[in-house]
Amino acid sequence: MTIYVGNLSYRVTEEEINELFAGFGEVKSVKIIRDNASGRSKGFAFVEMENDADADAAIESLNETEFAERNIVVNKARPKTEGSRGGDRSRNQGGRRNY
């Protein structure tokens, strides 16, 4: 299961998030989402856990708790939709911009 973790401190590392979630079960991956231009954290991450029951326990236990001086938001990640950022941008190609 993939978990969304929001309201993260910009200083938090993937290793620290991994340690936090590893207390609930096997963590497959942690990915902090970063700004393409600056490389700075956007303040949220995705954690993939091996076992759904472990992921549910982590969500239940960690949502709205303090981590690195911030109250984090932890819930099941929603699938990307076509209209979300990062999706198909082909409909914007070929358009003319007047500045």
Side-chain angles (χ1 to χ4, degrees):
M1 175 188 298
T2 303
I3 301 169
Y4 167 85
V5 185
N7 200 36
L8 288 170
S9 166
Y10 298 121
R11 300 182 321 262
V12 169
T13 66
E14 290 177 350
E15 292 78 21
E16 291 170 323
I17 297 170
N18 191 1
E19 288 176 21
L20 179 67
F21 281 83
F24 296 92
E26 184 178 343
V27 176
K28 288 173 64 174
S29 67
V30 176
K31 176 71 174 165
I32 293 176
I33 306 306
R34 299 189 179 280
D35 179 77
N36 288 336
S38 69
R40 182 178 176 207
S41 167
K42 289 187 171 187
F44 68 96
F46 292 99
V47 175
E48 188 176 3
M49 295 191 72
E50 185 69 34
N51 181 292
D52 286 355
D54 294 341
D56 287 335
I59 292 167
E60 182 70 28
S61 297
L62 296 174
N63 188 39
E64 298 185 12
T65 62
E66 187 176 320
F67 177 63
E69 302 176 358
R70 307 273 308 256
N71 285 339
I72 59 174
V73 174
V74 182
N75 53 47
K76 185 175 179 181
R78 294 183 300 222
K80 241 185 191 183
T81 62
E82 186 175 327
S84 68
R85 289 188 144 179
D88 179 17
R89 296 181 186 177
S90 62
R91 62 183 171 266
N92 294 333
Q93 293 179 354
R96 195 172 210 161
R97 293 185 183 192
N98 295 321
Y99 293 113

